[in-house]
Amino acid sequence: MGRSAEAKEGQAKLFRILSAYAEYNPQIGYCQGMSYIAAMLLMNMQEQDAFWALVVLLEKPKYLAGFYEHSLDTIQRHAKIFQQLLKHRMPCLWQHMENLKVAPLLFITTWFLTLFTSLPCWDTVLAIWDLIILYGINTIFSTGLCILQLLEPRLLAMSDVSHLLPTLLRIPVEVSRYSILVPALWMTKVHKWELDCMQSVVLEEEEEEMMSSGRHSIQSSTMQKATNVDKKNAPNLKDDAGKRSSRSSASTGRGRQETLKNTLTKMLKIARCYLQELGQLPKDLATSPSQDRSPSARGHTKYHGSKGEARRVNSRRGRTERTNL
């Protein structure tokens, strides 16, 4: 920060905007990262306009609603969504980061809460902000994936967290140049239906974790009670507990399979609705796959009558025809 009169006035404006927002929305108050966004707005508009633009960015669902809550639940959920996108778009890089124990939350928080204002090339930051104002939160995910795509060869060559994480927190200049990052960003698209699918996957995983933690707590309490029973009945109780644990593990496996099926079904429904809105899905494919199942699709045809019964069965073992008059 400079010591000139203009610099001091800019600092005073920034302080007034952040203080005014803390009074305007005391539930959020001030959070680290707001100063980057407020300063960016002050550089492009008057003080009062910058304040109301800050309100829109922080409270509209299209942009950063919930990002600056004290619980940070929203930003953590978005980090999980970004992790799912990374897993499907760049599986090699995702596996490499998993092996090094580098969670997306470690660098996503800085990227998302500051809206990439920490990039060294200012013209690139302005172009990213134009797209964020136009398209909303989709651009934030697109920019994050684009940066990782440009850094992927370099990151895969790193085998130490002490080198990989600083590279993600301080993007190199040669990657953040306007001529490099912005054209790649135009080619990287993240649609709303993709975010909806990944969010449903994250919610399913969170529910499964809660259910499994509840089962484990119940099992541990049951085992603790069993240990306090008389020694004579202890062997029988241990056998019963083992049977219950085996049944619960089997039910857990079935539950995970059902959860996976439900998640895939939701993803297909969301994608189908999205394509219907765009008019790219034929009408004959808009019906549910379950409605297209017929006996002929399984290789069997049956005919039944009242008195003169005719039955014909076609299967892999051969053809059998029988007529009863």
Side-chain angles (χ1 to χ4, degrees), residues 174-194:
E174 58 270 17
V175 173
S176 62
R177 286 197 181 97
Y178 184 93
S179 59
I180 301 297
L181 182 56
V182 175
L185 180 57
W186 280 108
M187 301 299 295
T188 306
K189 298 294 182 181
V190 175
H191 301 284
K192 185 179 181 300
W193 69 270
E194 289 184 89

Side-chain angles (χ1 to χ4, degrees), residues 42 55 135 141 158 170 183 193 236 276:
L42 279 172
V55 172
Y135 297 110
F141 287 92
M158 297 179 182
R170 293 184 293 272
W193 69 270
N236 296 331
Q276 285 179 351

Side-chain angles (χ1 to χ4, degrees), residues 16-210:
R16 287 195 294 267
I17 286 181
L18 295 175
S19 300
Y21 184 79
E23 292 290 334
Y24 176 81
N25 192 348
Q27 293 181 352
I28 297 179
Y30 171 76
C31 182
Q32 188 176 6
M34 289 182 181
S35 57
Y36 291 88
I37 298 176
M40 179 71 173
L41 296 173
L42 279 172
M43 294 176 65
N44 294 276
M45 59 187 70
Q46 298 297 323
E47 184 176 352
Q48 185 175 0
D49 296 334
F51 169 77
W52 290 113
L54 180 66
V55 172
V56 172
L57 285 175
L58 299 186
E59 298 184 1
K60 291 291 184 181
K62 181 181 179 181
Y63 301 111
L64 305 178
F67 274 52
Y68 296 95
E69 294 176 350
H70 294 289
S71 61
L72 296 179
D73 291 337
T74 302
I75 189 66
Q76 291 178 4
R77 183 173 292 110
H78 283 304
K80 293 179 180 179
I81 294 173
F82 186 84
Q83 184 176 6
Q84 292 293 332
L85 285 173
L86 179 63
K87 182 178 179 180
H88 288 80
R89 294 285 188 95
M90 290 176 282
C92 295
L93 180 59
W94 171 80
Q95 188 61 51
H96 180 65
M97 296 174 66
E98 283 286 318
N99 296 335
L100 295 179
K101 307 298 182 184
V102 178
L105 188 62
L106 298 177
F107 55 91
I108 281 298
T109 304
T110 303
W111 290 359
F112 283 18
L113 292 183
T114 63
L115 291 183
F116 303 98
T117 53
S118 59
L119 292 177
C121 298
W122 194 244
D123 53 350
T124 304
V125 175
L126 294 176
I128 292 173
W129 268 64
D130 288 340
L131 295 175
I132 291 175
I133 298 299
L134 183 60
Y135 297 110
I137 194 174
N138 295 5
T139 304
I140 302 176
F141 287 92
S142 300
T143 306
L145 288 176
C146 180
I147 292 174
L148 289 180
Q149 287 175 357
L150 295 175
L151 289 174
E152 185 175 9
R154 186 178 307 184
L155 296 177
L156 290 176
M158 297 179 182
S159 58
D160 194 353
V161 181
S162 60
H163 296 93
L164 189 143
L165 191 57
T167 304
L168 293 173
L169 294 176
R170 293 184 293 272
I171 307 301
V173 177
E174 58 270 17
V175 173
S176 62
R177 286 197 181 97
Y178 184 93
S179 59
I180 301 297
L181 182 56
V182 175
L185 180 57
W186 280 108
M187 301 299 295
T188 306
K189 298 294 182 181
V190 175
H191 301 284
K192 185 179 181 300
W193 69 270
E194 289 184 89
L195 296 180
D196 293 338
C197 291
M198 299 307 167
Q199 185 175 5
S200 64
V201 172
V202 170
L203 292 176
E204 291 282 351
E205 290 180 351
E206 291 178 353
E207 292 177 359
E208 183 65 24
E209 290 178 359
M210 292 177 61

